[in-house]
Amino acid sequence: MKVLVIGGGAREHALCRSLSQDPAVTELHCAPGNAGIAQVATVHPVDQLDGAQVAALARRLGSDLVVVGPEAPLVAGVSDAVRAAGIPVFGPSGEAALLEGSKAFAKDVMAGAGVPTARSYVCTTAEEAAEALDAFGPPYVVKDDGLAAGKGVVVTSDREAALAHATACDRVVIEEYLDGPEVSLFAITDGTTVLPLQPAQDFKRALDGDEGPNTGGMGAYSPLPWAPEGLVEEVLETVLQPTVDELHRRGTPFSGLLYAGLALTSRGTRVIEFNARFGDPETQVVLARLRTPLAGVLHASATGTLDQLEPLRWDEGAAVTVVIASEGYPAAPRTGDPIEGLAEAEAADGTAYVLHAGTKLDEDGRVLSAGGRVLSVTATGTGLAEARDRAYRALDRISLKGGQHRTDIALKAAG
Ligand code: AMP
C-alpha cells in the first residue's frame, strides 16, 4: 500500500512512524512533513489547504490511501477533493468536519443525537453574551465558534475577561462549566461502524499544576488507571455511536477519526468538544500502544469496511509523551534555534523516541525549531511510572535555547 499523509506536526510524525512499521506499507509519503518525518517518509511541499493540489500529488504518487492529519485541511474540504479523484481517504468530508469546525453545529448534532453535553447558548452580540454569562454564573466558559487551534476557549471567573473574549469573536458558544477530570477518547469510523481506541489524557495548560494559558497540548499519557471501568463502552453507546448515526441520518456521514473530549462530572460523562481528527499530543501515546498494523485500520475506515476488521490489539503497558515548546509559546513563539541531543535521546530498544512537531533542516542539515510546539518526547513502559521516567530521561538529553516543558505530565496518574 502506498500511503500519503497530509500534515507536518508530531501527530503526523506519530502516524508516519506507525505506518512505516506496518509491513503492508510499501511506500510512505508526507506533505509537507517536517525534519523528523523526513527520516521515515519521503516529504513533499504542498499547500495543505488546497484540495486540488493534494489530490494531484496523491495521483502523481499513485497513492492507495491518503491520511489527512490536521483539522484545517479537513474543514477546507481536502478529503472531498481526494475522494472525488477516486482515491481512498482517511478523514471526513468538509461538511462532516464542521463537527469540529463549528461549535454551534456540534451542539446541534449533539442535541439531535441525545448526547450529553454542557447546556449552552450561541451568541453573536455583547448583549446576548452578557445575558448568557449571567444565566450560568462563574466560572464562565466562552468558546469561539470557529477553528482556533485549541486556543479559542476562555475559562475564567472574571466576567469582564469572559465578555471581552465574547465580543472579540464574531460568534461564540457560552456554556455551563463542567467539573471533573477530562478524558480524550478517539474512535475510528467509516460512517457506520465505530471502533473506539484506548482513552488518553492530555495537559492543555502551559505550566505545571495546570497553570498558565491554554495551549495546543503540552503532554499526554495512556492508559488512565483512574478511569471508571466500562468507560469506553459507555462512551461508545451514549456518545460515539449516536453521533455517527445522527450525522449519517443528516446526510453528512462522518468517516475518519472522531475525537470526543469528555468531562467525567459528578453528574455523569459529558462531551466538552468533538474534533474531526487525531488529537495532538494524545495520538503519540495512543499509537505507541496500538499493536494492530495501522494502515489496514485507516484503509478500512476509508473504504467503509471497518465491520470486517479483527478486534484491535493493544500493548498492556503505558505510554507518556512530553512536549518541548519554544520560548514564548503560546503567545509569541521564537523559532530558528538549533536543537541538540536528538540522537542521544532515542533509546536503542525503541522504548523512548522523539517525534518532531515544529522543526526544519537548515542548509547544513542541522535541525532547527520552526514552530510553537517543537518536539514530542515519547516513551513506553510496563506502567506509567516507567514510561514517564524514560520520557523525562530522554528529554533531559535534548537542548533547545529557551525551550519549555511541563515536569508533571502523568505525575499524579503514575501514583
Ligand atoms: P476545547 O477547545 O473545547 O477542548 O476547550 C479547551 C479546554 O477548555 C478544555 O480542554 C477544558 O479544559 C476547557 N473547557 C472547555 N469547555 C469547558 C466546560 N464547559 N467546562 C469546563 N472546562 C471547559
Side-chain angles (χ1 to χ4, degrees):
M1 200 188 308
K2 296 182 187 173
V3 185
L4 168 63
V5 175
I6 301 302
R11 161 187 48 215
E12 286 75 27
H13 194 177
L15 286 163
C16 284
R17 184 177 188 273
S18 292
L19 289 167
S20 73
Q21 292 171 346
D22 182 339
V25 175
T26 51
E27 265 184 46
L28 183 59
H29 299 269
C30 184
N34 61 34
I37 292 173
Q39 294 171 359
V40 291
T42 309
V43 297
H44 307 265
V46 80
D47 175 356
Q48 299 182 58
L49 301 183
D50 185 336
Q53 235 188 75
V54 172
L57 177 63
R59 222 185 278 121
R60 182 163 66 75
L61 296 172
S63 305
D64 302 299
L65 174 69
V66 174
V67 179
V68 183
E71 60 274 22
L74 291 168
V75 172
V78 165
S79 293
D80 303 88
V82 175
R83 215 169 268 129
I87 302 167
V89 56
F90 181 80
S93 68
E95 270 191 330
L98 273 184
L99 197 62
E100 170 165 7
S102 166
K103 305 254 183 210
F105 176 72
K107 285 291 186 186
D108 194 54
V109 170
M110 283 189 262
V115 166
T117 184
R119 287 180 298 125
S120 65
Y121 296 106
V122 180
C123 307
T124 51
T125 68
E127 291 71 35
E128 283 173 9
E131 212 173 297
L133 291 174
D134 294 335
F136 292 125
Y140 304 106
V141 182
V142 182
K143 302 185 171 186
D144 192 342
D145 181 47
L147 281 187
K151 292 157 216 155
V153 178
V154 166
V155 181
T156 176
S157 289
D158 180 346
R159 187 176 178 281
E160 233 167 86
L163 198 55
H165 183 56
T167 43
C169 308
D170 284 344
R171 194 153 99 122
V172 291
V173 171
I174 292 180
E175 65 180 34
E176 101 188 273
Y177 179 81
L178 300 173
D179 62 351
E182 289 178 33
V183 173
S184 301
L185 185 61
F186 301 167
I188 307 246
T189 177
D190 56 10
T192 308
T193 303
V194 183
L195 214 62
L197 306 186
Q198 289 285 314
Q201 189 174 50
D202 77 338
F203 294 75
K204 286 231 165 69
R205 300 285 184 143
L207 306 175
D208 281 2
D210 293 329
E211 302 284 339
N214 253 324
T215 70
M218 295 298 288
Y221 66 94
S222 175
L224 313 179
W226 49 267
E229 216 181 304
L231 177 70
V232 173
E233 292 71 25
E234 179 209 326
V235 176
L236 174 62
E237 242 169 69
T238 61
V239 173
L240 299 167
Q241 190 72 54
T243 301
V244 167
D245 293 346
E246 172 71 12
L247 285 163
H248 202 278
R249 196 184 63 73
R250 289 178 181 224
T252 50
F254 184 104
S255 73
L257 192 119
L258 177 59
Y259 166 136
L262 307 160
L264 309 190
T265 78
S266 45
R267 291 183 294 136
T269 305
R270 299 277 184 281
V271 173
I272 291 185
E273 63 161 347
F274 281 129
N275 290 322
R277 38 78 195 174
F278 277 103
D280 187 349
E282 299 96 313
T283 300
Q284 287 85 305
V285 290
V286 171
L287 291 186
R289 299 185 53 223
L290 180 66
R291 286 286 149 266
T292 305
L294 184 61
V297 181
L298 303 186
H299 191 264
S301 158
T303 53
T305 53
L306 271 182
D307 60 337
Q308 291 160 37
L309 211 65
E310 302 269 309
L312 297 177
R313 287 177 288 113
W314 294 95
D315 190 313
E316 290 296 312
V320 170
T321 194
V322 183
V323 169
I324 301 180
S326 49
E327 184 180 337
Y329 178 76
R334 75 175 250 153
T335 56
D337 291 309
I339 305 163
E340 312 285 349
L342 288 169
E344 292 78 359
E346 303 269 335
D349 61 0
T351 54
Y353 48 91
V354 183
L355 299 169
H356 291 223
T359 67
K360 65 172 188 195
L361 293 176
D362 71 3
E363 308 82 58
D364 305 325
R366 287 186 314 167
V367 181
L368 303 182
S369 61
R373 291 189 293 173
V374 180
L375 302 167
S376 206
V377 183
T378 309
T380 55
T382 49
L384 284 172
E386 187 177 51
R388 190 182 130 71
D389 192 53
R390 284 176 175 159
Y392 278 106
R393 257 193 287 152
L395 181 142
D396 282 341
R397 302 202 170 102
I398 299 171
S399 69
L400 164 67
K401 191 176 165 208
Q404 42 161 334
H405 66 268
R406 282 182 62 158
T407 66
D408 62 348
I409 304 301
L411 179 60
K412 254 193 264 165

